[in-house]
Amino acid sequence: HTHTHTHTGTSGARDAASRLVLNHDAVVSDAAKKALGVLTTHTLSNSVADCTLRAAAQLLLQHPTTADREAFHQDARALLVHAVAVCAGEKQEDEAEILLQIQKVAVHVGSRICTPRDMGAIPALFLRQALTSLHKAANNSETVG
């Protein structure tokens, strides 16, 4: 099989996404507790951690390589808008607070990735790129929607 992108890049992004999905509950719990200081599981913060990690996994699956940086960042912004809308939900939570929490979760999870315990170096690089792109999109958003 020949591919239009490098095998390492493709498997790296997919491996990062699959690790995030497989360990989703544990990562959400850790991020909600340690990044956002929340002890209960049924909170807006838990929802924000969940939405942030889902957005990161989706971004990795949409972009098996990060060759097209502009499209990567545009999709990160679109996924961020969706994450904020989901988290705000029916309760009409404050979007600025959600954006701040998304930034905290992205930084925390990015700093906690341990290679090779959690994943290989290349998947970790892809996951950090996705989290950084979501963080930048959240940081550059005055209001969303």
Side-chain angles (χ1 to χ4, degrees):
H1 293 276
T2 57
H3 299 282
T4 56
H5 44 267
T6 65
H7 176 71
T8 303
T10 302
S11 62
R14 287 190 183 140
D15 186 41
S18 70
R19 298 290 177 134
L20 204 50
V21 170
L22 289 171
N23 298 305
H24 184 80
D25 292 345
V27 179
V28 166
S29 177
D30 179 71
K33 288 177 190 167
K34 295 180 181 161
L36 304 173
V38 175
L39 299 177
T40 62
T41 54
H42 302 291
T43 64
L44 170 66
S45 299
N46 212 53
S47 176
V48 169
D50 176 61
C51 289
T52 304
L53 296 174
R54 286 175 188 272
Q58 189 170 345
L59 186 59
L60 289 165
L61 292 173
Q62 287 177 344
H63 293 274
T65 72
T66 54
D68 187 346
R69 304 294 295 163
E70 187 59 34
F72 185 76
H73 294 303
Q74 284 177 354
D75 285 345
R77 168 94 175 122
L79 288 166
L80 173 78
V81 170
H82 178 72
V84 171
V86 169
C87 290
E90 298 171 7
K91 297 178 183 178
Q92 298 300 307
E93 298 286 350
D94 181 33
E95 290 183 353
E97 178 61 27
I98 292 170
L99 288 166
L100 183 63
Q101 289 186 13
I102 287 172
Q103 291 175 60
K104 288 180 181 178
V105 168
V107 168
H108 175 77
V109 174
S111 71
R112 298 268 301 153
I113 301 166
C114 179
T115 57
R117 181 194 72 195
D118 299 327
M119 62 186 70
I122 291 178
L125 175 66
F126 275 92
L127 180 52
R128 285 189 184 107
Q129 286 176 337
L131 291 166
T132 298
S133 191
L134 289 168
H135 178 276
K136 285 180 180 175
N139 192 41
N140 292 334
S141 295
E142 294 296 320
T143 57
V144 181

